């Protein structure tokens, strides 16, 4: 059971936002449609070099966003209607030396979440400030973990100890493990699910790899149809134990099929992405494309960026931007499918 709807979109739970988006046929209307979700790279450096990393072309510079700047911008974003913030991005967010203070302040205004490799999870003392924390753990054995994460096997043990500790003090925070399923690890998913359950995590997510638009590594050897029976068996078996294995079957199918729409409806509206150097983008799939950069948090306010000339140009661009240039299974794929239906309708839709 996927009670968090990780394998589906959630825009249907924001009907007022969708109604405003539907009427936004001019820039004056579009500029005030504020994002619901903000993803932040708090630290660009990373302690792992995962073989499937989608941001490897950016590198892993030792850059962290200024905590005071970020906190001030978070407060303004909340005033504008932003509802959630996730710390993850192109680096390991918990390597920011002031991340505990940032997360604590952000939780006063927004729902807060983290995606982390978990090695430094012990730095996040107050898990109650978070709605959820997801640990990226992409193997079921210490040997394959070290090979895929390009790290030492000791990190495998450290992460599991951190997860066990976090499970004891998480309060209302949902604690998840997620794995990018690959040909070299999919046979390990039963072992990974067992370890996640035993450690006290609330769920395990099995998600697809997707070739990024700008990554160095591109793989064409993955066919999730050949893995379906194994992954579904893991999901079904652990359901009997009361542990949620969220097999992202829809996302894996979409990764094989590609887009079901010609225009991205979610960009530049539904979400926003900021880098550790302060640059703000409207889509994480195009972080190497300056056309998707709409400003910088270090010299503009969040509202100035969102309602400014950079986003206006991006709004114009997206009217004709060919989504064939995008990754097949992007972050907003399910939301785009939903918005496509809202905008263009379906046959016989009056027969409710």
């Amino acid at each position: 059971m996927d009670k968090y709807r990780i394998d589906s979109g959630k825009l249907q739970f924001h009907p007022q936002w969708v109604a405003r988006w539907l009427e936004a046929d001019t820039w004056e209307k579009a500029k005030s449609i504020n994002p619901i979700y903000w993803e932040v790279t708090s630290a660009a450096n990373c302690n792992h070099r995962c073989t499937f990393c989608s941001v490897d072309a950016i590198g892993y510079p030792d850059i962290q966003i200024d905590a005071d700047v970020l906190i001030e911008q978070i407060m303004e974003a909340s005033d504008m209607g932003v509802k959630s913030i996730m710390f993850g991005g192109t680096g390991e967010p918990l390597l920011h030396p002031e991340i505990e203070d940032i997360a604590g302040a952000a939780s006063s205004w927004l729902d807060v979440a983290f995606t982390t490799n978990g090695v430094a999870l012990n730095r996040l003392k107050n898990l109650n400030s978070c709605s959820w924390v997801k640990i990226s753990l992409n193997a079921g054995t210490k040997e394959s973990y070290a090979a895929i994460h390009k790290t030492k096997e000791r990190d495998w043990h450290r992460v599991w100890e951190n997860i066990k500790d976090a499970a004891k003090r998480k309060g209302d925070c949902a604690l998840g493990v997620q794995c990018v399923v690959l040909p070299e690890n999919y046979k390990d998913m039963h072992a990974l699910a067992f370890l996640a359950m035993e450690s006290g995590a609330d769920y395990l997510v099995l998600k697809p790899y997707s070739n990024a638009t700008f990554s160095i590594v591109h793989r064409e050897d993955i066919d999730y149809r050949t893995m379906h029976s194994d992954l579904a068996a893991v999901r079904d078996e652990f359901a009997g134990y009361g542990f949620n294995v969220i097999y992202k079957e829809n996302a894996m199918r979409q990764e094989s099929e590609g887009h079901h729409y010609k225009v991205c409806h979610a960009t530049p509206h539904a979400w926003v992405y900021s880098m550790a150097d302060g640059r703000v983008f409207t889509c994480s799939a195009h972080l190497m494309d300056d056309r998707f950069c709409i400003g910088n948090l270090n010299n503009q306010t969040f509202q100035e960026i969102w309602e400014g000339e950079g986003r206006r140009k991006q709004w114009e661009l997206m009217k004709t931007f060919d989504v064939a240039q995008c990754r097949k299974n992007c972050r907003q794929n399910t939301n785009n499918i939903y918005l496509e239906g809202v905008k263009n309708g379906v046959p016989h839709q009056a027969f409710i």
Side-chain angles (χ1 to χ4, degrees):
M1 184 178 68
D2 182 9
K3 71 177 182 179
Y4 304 108
R5 295 181 180 252
I6 291 173
D7 195 27
S8 60
K10 300 173 185 175
L11 272 180
Q12 63 268 38
F13 300 107
H14 303 275
Q16 293 176 322
W17 186 97
V18 173
R20 293 179 63 203
W21 170 83
L22 195 59
E23 297 297 322
D25 55 353
T26 68
W27 168 242
E28 285 305 309
K29 294 178 182 178
K31 77 175 182 179
S32 60
I33 298 178
N34 297 318
I36 297 169
Y37 165 65
W38 182 3
E39 187 165 323
V40 173
T41 295
S42 54
N45 48 322
C46 190
N47 47 0
H48 286 180
R49 294 292 185 272
C50 298
T51 57
F52 58 84
C53 182
S54 63
V55 295
D56 51 3
I58 296 175
Y60 309 92
D62 188 14
I63 301 173
Q64 296 88 34
I65 188 75
D66 182 90
D68 292 335
V69 168
L70 183 56
I71 290 171
E72 183 176 354
Q73 301 282 22
I74 289 171
M75 183 167 56
E76 178 170 274
S78 173
D79 290 340
M80 293 174 61
V82 175
K83 298 182 182 303
S84 64
I85 188 167
M86 194 274 280
F87 297 99
T90 65
E92 168 49 50
L94 294 177
L95 295 183
H96 193 294
E98 298 174 82
I99 193 61
E100 178 83 8
D101 294 335
I102 294 170
S107 68
S108 299
W109 306 294
L110 304 176
D111 289 341
V112 174
F114 278 86
T115 296
T116 169
N117 61 36
V119 175
L121 185 58
N122 58 314
R123 294 186 181 182
L124 198 57
K125 304 299 182 185
N126 183 17
L127 287 172
N128 273 321
S129 66
C130 302
S131 296
W132 54 265
V133 172
K134 223 178 290 180
I135 295 90
S136 182
L137 214 165
N138 303 282
T141 68
K142 63 182 179 182
E143 294 83 8
S144 56
Y145 173 85
I148 292 171
H149 283 249
K150 289 189 177 179
T151 188
K152 303 294 185 182
E153 290 182 6
R154 63 174 178 266
D155 277 358
W156 165 266
H157 302 289
R158 182 179 300 156
V159 170
W160 285 116
E161 288 304 311
N162 283 344
I163 294 173
K164 291 174 184 176
D165 173 66
K168 295 175 184 176
R169 57 186 178 84
K170 67 185 182 66
D172 293 332
C173 173
L175 185 65
V177 174
Q178 72 173 13
C179 177
V180 175
V181 179
L182 303 165
E184 56 266 36
N185 69 10
Y186 83 100
K187 292 291 187 181
D188 295 342
M189 293 304 98
H190 184 279
L192 179 59
F194 181 81
L195 288 168
M197 181 178 68
E198 289 293 293
S199 71
D202 294 302
Y203 61 86
L204 167 67
V205 179
L206 306 180
K207 60 182 288 188
Y209 167 86
S210 183
N211 280 317
T213 54
F214 58 86
S215 60
I216 296 172
V217 176
H218 273 258
R219 297 186 58 164
E220 306 298 337
D221 63 328
I222 303 175
D223 184 351
Y224 286 108
R225 292 169 294 187
T226 65
M227 307 178 198
H228 169 71
S229 59
D230 293 271
L231 301 178
V234 174
R235 176 198 60 201
D236 296 343
E237 177 182 347
F238 280 85
Y241 301 147
F243 179 72
N244 290 330
V245 174
I246 302 168
Y247 163 35
K248 296 188 71 171
E249 185 176 357
N250 289 332
M252 291 184 183
R253 182 171 59 252
Q254 289 159 10
E255 181 62 30
S256 299
E257 295 175 355
H259 302 107
H260 295 276
Y261 44 88
K262 294 182 179 180
V263 175
C264 178
H265 302 295
T267 304
H269 302 293
W271 74 314
V272 65
Y273 188 105
S274 63
M275 303 281 276
D277 61 7
R279 286 180 297 157
V280 176
F281 288 78
T282 57
C283 180
S284 66
H286 298 282
L287 298 179
M288 302 288 279
D289 189 337
D290 287 340
R291 294 176 299 172
F292 287 80
C293 181
I294 59 173
N296 194 303
L297 296 172
N298 289 310
N299 48 46
Q300 296 168 279
T301 68
F302 190 92
Q303 185 166 2
E304 287 172 345
I305 293 170
W306 192 250
E307 297 181 359
E309 181 64 10
R311 181 166 166 260
R312 187 198 65 77
K313 290 180 179 179
Q314 230 280 300
W315 178 76
E316 293 284 355
L317 172 69
M318 296 311 294
K319 293 178 182 179
T320 57
F321 187 80
D322 184 2
V323 295
Q325 300 177 51
C326 303
R327 62 196 307 173
K328 289 182 180 179
N329 189 35
C330 77
R331 184 68 58 82
Q332 296 300 323
N333 194 47
T334 51
N335 287 330
N336 270 319
I337 293 171
Y338 170 73
L339 291 174
E340 177 80 4
V342 170
K343 188 176 184 68
N344 297 320
V346 297
H348 307 163
Q349 66 183 36
F351 293 87
I352 61 173

